Each structure stands twice: as structure tokens, then as C-alpha cells.
Amino acid sequence: AWIWYGSGACRAGGILPTAAATGCVRRREVPWLPRPRDSMPDLLAGPEPSRHHRGPHHHDDMTTIHAILDVAKACAAGGDFDATVAVLHDAKSLDLPMLRDALAAGRAIDSRFDGTLSLLPAPAVAGGRLVVSPTGPIGRDQDDVRRFADAAAKGIRRARDAGAKRIALLVQAPPADPRHVHALRVAALGALGALWEPLEAREALGAKAAEPVEHVGIGAIGAKFDEADARWVAATDGGF
């Protein structure tokens, strides 16, 4: 019999990662059996923001996620987010006015800016702070979609550690390449995975202290990420 751990499966004492290519597999505290389709919650219906499920012991203060359909409007100054994370593979080619000045300022003071995780003041973006998380090279033969997951994870953790609770995650669309077809969804899974803390931490510190991020909006720069994508990410991350 198979026992599922969120994104991984266990048989005869061994864990077989079913999403190893994404780098997003992580062990849940308690194994649980997949439920029959007719008893599963309808995760793919309704316009409400998707829930980021935490396995069988999820708590009432779960992080909610939704798709940002209009990046320029939602992430502009005065928006509903208190920090913006930009996952970029080619920052110099980016043409998004709200990020332009902050990126130029960072590049002016740091010669390693385009390859280094950075937190910048950015008056033009929601929350006034911008985390830039470069993926590094994505076109070499040893590169794959995990570049996006890793960069999203580092970026959203940096925003969380800066005190952000409502974070906009913007992912620059990759060039056409079969390896990166699912880069946006993988980046979202990487970010949500980075916010997860084990049950022991939540019991010791309290859920809100251990996992303080309340909401994540996910948007694509130069591509499409809609509510169907957000619901798929929530369902996949929850192990449904």
C-alpha cells in the first residue's frame, strides 16, 4: 500500500519523491492516505483565494494564495501587499516601470547585484520594499526548473524575515525551453514550501509566530498565471 506525504510517497519504509524534478518535495509530520475522489474537497471550483494546505494537521491561520492578474496595478505603491519579491533570470532585460528605478539603484551600488539576493527600498512598489532573487543561469545543460523554485524560496523567506505578512511573488517568465514549461507553478510551490515549518515549531512558538505570512499573491512577468494555476498550486502543495 502506498502512503502519501504531501508531495512524496512512502512504500516499505522508503520515500519515493514524486516531484523531485521540482525540488519541492518535503515530508509531512503524519502520513495520510489519499481520499477517494468523490470525498475530496472541491479545490478546483469557486473564485475564492486558494488555501495553502499544511497536510492533515493544518491550522486555522493557513496562508492563502491567489493569482495576480494585473501585476502593474496590484503591485504598485499603495497596493494590498507589504512586500514584493521578484524572481528574475534576466533582470537587465526586464521592462516593468515600477521595478526599474529600484533595480537601477541596486545595480549602481553593487556590481554583484544581478546575481545576489537583495532587499531594497522601493517606493514605487507595494509595501515600499523589494526583494530581488535571481535564479542564476538557466540555459546550461545542467540547469533545470529547480532554479526557479530555489530562487522563489530564498526570496520569500527574505521578505518574511523582513517582517512581511502579505507578499507579492512576481516571476519573470523564462525563455521557451521544454525544461522550464512549468517554471511559474514550480516557483510558486518552492515559495510555499519555504514558508512551511514543522509541527514542533508551531506548537512551541505558536502558529502565527512560526508561520507569520498570511497571504501570497503570485504573478507572472511576461506570461500568464491565473486562478486556475493558483488552485492547482494549492492542491498540489496540500497533497490532494
Side-chain angles (χ1 to χ4, degrees):
W2 292 91
I3 298 177
W4 289 90
Y5 291 87
S7 299
C10 175
R11 187 180 189 185
I15 293 180
L16 303 178
T18 59
T22 70
C24 296
V25 177
R26 60 186 187 280
R27 185 184 180 280
R28 306 292 182 177
E29 300 96 349
V30 177
W32 58 291
L33 294 174
R35 290 170 287 178
R37 182 174 296 274
D38 59 3
S39 68
M40 292 172 63
D42 189 5
L43 294 174
L44 302 181
E48 299 82 15
S50 302
R51 286 285 183 176
H52 174 204
H53 293 270
R54 306 295 198 184
H57 289 289
H58 65 270
H59 50 84
D60 292 336
D61 299 311
M62 295 184 298
T63 305
T64 58
I65 70 171
H66 85 283
I68 300 174
L69 303 180
D70 187 340
V71 168
K73 181 178 179 181
C75 299
D80 194 36
F81 300 102
D82 57 9
T84 300
V85 175
V87 174
L88 308 176
H89 64 84
D90 186 6
K92 292 182 178 179
S93 71
L94 190 67
D95 185 23
L96 195 61
M98 70 175 66
L99 302 184
R100 188 181 300 139
D101 291 344
L103 294 177
R107 201 171 288 120
I109 62 172
D110 186 355
S111 62
R112 299 179 64 246
F113 175 76
D114 289 317
T116 305
L117 179 69
S118 304
L119 172 63
L120 302 169
V125 305
R129 47 190 168 185
L130 172 67
V131 176
V132 180
S133 188
T135 63
I138 61 171
R140 303 171 303 179
D141 57 1
Q142 70 266 37
D143 298 321
D144 60 35
V145 76
R146 286 175 293 183
R147 288 278 188 183
F148 289 87
D150 292 343
K154 292 176 183 177
I156 205 161
R157 278 197 297 259
R158 183 66 186 91
R160 177 201 63 191
D161 293 345
K165 290 181 169 57
R166 298 182 61 81
I167 302 172
L169 176 69
L170 306 183
V171 183
Q172 184 180 19
D177 186 323
R179 293 174 296 177
H180 303 312
V181 170
H182 301 295
L184 301 177
R185 289 182 170 187
V186 169
L189 285 171
L192 295 180
L195 297 176
W196 178 83
E197 295 293 343
L199 177 63
E200 293 82 359
R202 298 198 300 270
E203 289 180 338
L205 303 174
K208 289 186 177 180
E211 296 180 335
V213 176
E214 300 169 357
H215 185 75
V216 177
I218 304 165
I221 303 173
K224 176 186 175 184
F225 188 93
D226 57 23
E227 285 297 343
D229 292 305
R231 289 191 291 269
W232 183 92
V233 168
T236 302
D237 181 71
F240 291 105

